[in-house]
């Protein structure tokens, strides 16, 4: 009997629950393939780099205020621990699914490798609109999800941090739940906590500070002048508010911002102090007086010097990239520009400051918090700021130098450095058994 025909190698198997609402996993695969081809890394490395180490899915029952029981799908994807413990955010959002979570976990591994932080990528989340739940329901949901993940989260294995629609409040509940289950306090179990229970200086501002520092580095090397520049910030959560405050102090004109309630536009520059007060009291951007109301989609297309998408992924796509009027797009969110949009923007001379560099503030300061908790240290705000600035400066210089040497875009250069470091770590550790 003749031997069976040889079959081509199959792509890595992934869970059947992937829905791919935004096809983020496809976008990551596209960029991974391009990066591996550019560096001459083999198909085996590409397949291994794409597949996560572990996928955990839960269904957490929660008693609602009306007496009914809600059941909420939850996820934790651990991509790789080649360079250190898994680390990554936990988000609460109705579009959370395995496609989104896995794509972001992979990017987490690349970002940690780029910045030389000894973590591996992970991401988690719950499929829920948190704005439909009371504070009590949110606390019960957070604690139940954490309890369901009690064998996953561990300060030496997998450390969560805040993400979309989660903050130091949710991190406090998670830390307490893990501590109660273990029988002793574990400050290092999560990062992004309040100072009173082991948090770090700048933890709440880390993501916004990181984007601001990246923009300052771009100013230093690429001739952009922040003072007087017109800036649009799509996404006015904690990152957007911190960033707007910093840019206002630098003399920039923040001409438009948006959140889930809508956007506001003022071509002469918004009153940032007044806007921050309005958002604090009203819990939304919409309704801010003295500004034109606009939709989030329209705000992305308004004329400006710097556009900062800082909400969710896939905000600039092939359907609107040709109408973006900014000179520079700074990716405050994860993957807000799709690969096709990247190409269209480049053809029009619109520069992109990639997410791997721009939104690393949360990763870096989270690592600082973890180090402090594990070693009973307490760094001042000046020390944390100096360390963050130093690391951002070093990585930025490496990315710019690599781009100039190999004639790569900033994104291609950042990916090249990250993949090389990841491949070297994998080579040195080898595979067991």
């Amino acid at each position: 009997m003749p031997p069976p025909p040889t079959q081509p190698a199959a792509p890595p198997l992934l869970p059947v629950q992937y829905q791919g609402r935004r096809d983020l996993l496809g976008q990551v695969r596209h960029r991974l393939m391009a990066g591996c081809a550019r560096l001459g890394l083999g198909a085996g490395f590409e397949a291994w780099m794409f597949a996560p180490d572990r996928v955990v899915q839960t269904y957490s029952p929660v008693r609602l205020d009306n007496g009914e029981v809600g059941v909420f799908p939850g996820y934790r994807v651990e991509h790789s621990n080649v360079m250190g413990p898994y680390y990554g955010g936990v988000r609460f959002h109705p579009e959370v699914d395995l496609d989104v979570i896995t794509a972001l976990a992979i990017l987490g591994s690349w970002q940690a490798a780029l910045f030389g932080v000894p973590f591996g990528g992970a991401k988690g989340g719950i499929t829920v609109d948190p704005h439909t739940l009371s504070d009590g329901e949110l606390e019960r949901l957070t604690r139940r999800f954490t309890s369901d993940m009690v064998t996953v989260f561990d300060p030496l294995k997998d450390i969560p941090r805040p993400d979309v629609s989660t903050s130091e409040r949710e991190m406090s509940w998670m830390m307490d739940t893990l501590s109660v289950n273990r029988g002793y306090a574990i400050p290092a179990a999560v990062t992004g906590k309040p100072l009173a229970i082991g948090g770090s200086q700048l933890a709440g501002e880390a993501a916004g500070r990181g984007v601001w520092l990246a923009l300052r580095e771009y100013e230093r090397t690429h001739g952009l002048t922040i003072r007087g520049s017109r800036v649009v910030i799509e996404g006015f959560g904690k990152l957007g508010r911190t960033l707007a405050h910093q840019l206002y102090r630098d003399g920039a004109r923040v001409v438009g911002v948006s959140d889930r309630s809508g956007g506001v536009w003022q071509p002469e520059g918004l009153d940032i102090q007044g806007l921050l007060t309005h958002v604090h009291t009203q819990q939304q951007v919409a309704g801010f007086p003295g500004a034109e109301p606009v939709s989030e989609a329209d705000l992305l297309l308004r004329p400006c010097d710097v556009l900062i998408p800082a909400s969710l992924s896939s905000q600039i796509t092939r359907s609107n990239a040709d109408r973006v009027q900014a000179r520079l797009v700074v990716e405050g969110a994860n993957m807000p520009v799709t690969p096709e949009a990247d190409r269209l923007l480049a053809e029009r001379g619109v520069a992109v400051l990639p997410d791997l560099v721009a939104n690393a503030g949360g990763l870096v300061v989270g690592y600082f918090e973890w180090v402090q908790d594990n070693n009973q240290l307490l760094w001042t705000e000046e020390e944390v700021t100096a360390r963050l600035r130093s690391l951002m400066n070093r990585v930025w210089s490496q990315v710019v130098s690599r781009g100039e040497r190999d004639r790569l875009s900033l994104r291609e250069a950042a990916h090249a450095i990250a993949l090389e470091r990841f491949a070297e770590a994998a080579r040195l550790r080898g595979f067991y058994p």
Side-chain angles (χ1 to χ4, degrees):
M1 217 179 145
T6 302
Q7 297 295 323
L13 294 175
L14 292 171
V16 297
Q17 298 97 323
Y18 284 99
Q19 299 175 46
R21 291 175 186 160
R22 294 179 183 270
D23 193 28
L24 294 191
L25 204 57
Q27 295 177 40
V28 168
R29 188 65 185 269
H30 173 88
R31 286 175 170 155
L32 175 61
M33 292 173 64
C36 288
R38 190 177 298 113
L39 296 171
L41 299 172
F45 173 83
E46 177 194 317
W48 174 69
M49 183 65 182
F50 180 67
D53 288 348
R54 182 162 64 154
V55 174
V56 180
Q57 182 168 0
T58 62
Y59 292 92
S60 300
V62 176
R63 182 74 64 184
L64 304 178
D65 291 345
N66 62 7
E68 297 293 327
V69 174
V71 180
F72 300 89
Y75 308 91
R76 186 65 171 181
V77 173
E78 297 174 331
H79 174 248
S80 172
N81 64 356
V82 165
M83 302 186 72
Y86 304 106
Y87 180 74
V90 172
R91 60 175 54 187
F92 294 174
H93 195 272
E95 291 190 3
V96 162
D97 59 32
L98 278 177
D99 177 277
V100 171
I101 297 301
T102 302
L104 299 179
I106 296 172
L107 283 185
S109 290
W110 297 2
Q111 190 174 64
L114 175 64
F115 276 80
V117 172
F119 280 147
K123 187 69 76 169
I126 301 174
T127 309
V128 62
D129 182 354
H131 302 282
T132 64
L133 301 182
S134 68
D135 287 349
E137 290 169 333
L138 275 174
E139 180 174 358
R140 294 193 291 275
L141 174 58
T142 304
R143 289 182 180 275
R144 179 56 194 246
F145 170 74
T146 306
S147 185
D148 289 341
M149 293 283 181
V150 73
T151 59
V152 176
F153 295 142
D154 182 280
L156 297 180
K157 295 180 182 178
D158 187 336
I159 306 103
R161 67 180 174 98
D163 204 273
V164 174
S165 295
T166 58
S167 65
E168 62 179 22
R169 180 183 68 169
E170 285 75 20
M171 295 305 106
S172 299
W173 294 335
M174 293 182 75
M175 178 213 157
D176 180 69
T177 303
L178 293 169
S179 297
V180 169
N181 272 275
R182 296 289 181 85
Y184 54 91
I186 319 174
V190 304
T191 68
K193 308 176 298 295
L195 276 172
I197 55 173
S200 173
Q201 297 284 351
L202 292 189
E205 302 176 17
R209 288 283 189 103
V211 177
W212 172 66
L213 287 171
L215 188 53
R216 291 294 298 269
E217 289 297 309
Y218 188 93
E219 178 184 41
R220 179 175 63 84
T221 58
H222 286 70
L224 172 76
T225 302
I226 292 178
R227 180 170 293 276
S229 291
R230 299 165 301 161
V231 180
V232 166
I233 303 174
E234 184 266 335
F236 209 60
K238 186 166 286 188
L239 185 158
R241 295 194 297 271
T242 298
L243 182 57
H245 178 69
Q246 293 288 343
L247 292 174
Y248 175 76
R249 291 175 57 184
D250 285 345
R253 284 188 295 151
V254 180
V255 295
V257 304
S258 66
D259 63 8
R260 64 189 301 272
S261 69
V264 292
W265 168 262
Q266 173 48 263
E268 300 304 315
L270 293 161
D271 172 12
I272 294 302
Q273 296 302 327
L275 178 61
L276 291 172
T277 300
H278 171 82
V279 171
H280 178 73
T281 57
Q282 302 299 316
Q283 302 299 305
Q284 63 178 27
V285 164
F288 180 61
E292 174 192 347
V294 296
S295 68
E296 282 193 280
D298 183 43
L299 186 67
L300 292 168
L301 309 179
R302 291 293 176 108
C304 61
D305 299 302
V306 181
L307 171 61
I308 306 173
S311 61
L312 296 172
S313 305
S314 300
Q315 298 301 303
I316 301 177
T317 68
R318 64 179 178 180
S319 67
N320 63 2
D322 61 332
R323 291 174 287 150
V324 169
Q325 299 186 62
R327 295 166 48 203
L328 170 67
V329 176
V330 181
E331 293 187 312
N334 297 119
M335 299 177 62
V337 179
T338 66
E340 288 180 316
D342 234 358
R343 177 181 57 81
L344 293 172
L345 292 174
E347 289 174 354
R348 297 177 51 230
V350 179
V352 177
L353 205 169
D355 54 354
L356 226 59
V357 179
N359 73 0
L363 164 73
V364 174
V365 174
Y367 168 63
F368 294 163
E369 181 177 336
W370 183 72
V371 169
Q372 292 173 79
D373 286 337
N374 278 307
N375 295 277
Q376 288 77 54
L377 299 174
L378 184 62
W379 295 339
T380 65
E381 181 175 343
E382 291 73 20
E383 287 175 308
V384 175
T385 300
R387 291 171 189 270
L388 174 60
R389 188 188 301 272
S390 174
L391 187 53
M392 181 67 74
N393 179 275
R394 183 164 73 248
V395 170
W396 179 256
S397 296
Q398 292 168 349
V399 170
V400 171
S401 296
R402 182 62 176 269
E404 292 174 348
R405 190 193 80 183
D406 296 347
R407 298 183 179 181
L408 302 174
S409 69
L410 292 173
R411 189 191 306 282
E412 291 168 341
H415 285 181
I417 295 170
L419 289 173
E420 280 182 344
R421 290 177 178 172
F422 199 94
E424 177 65 3
R427 183 189 69 80
L428 292 169
R429 285 192 58 170
F431 294 96
Y432 176 81

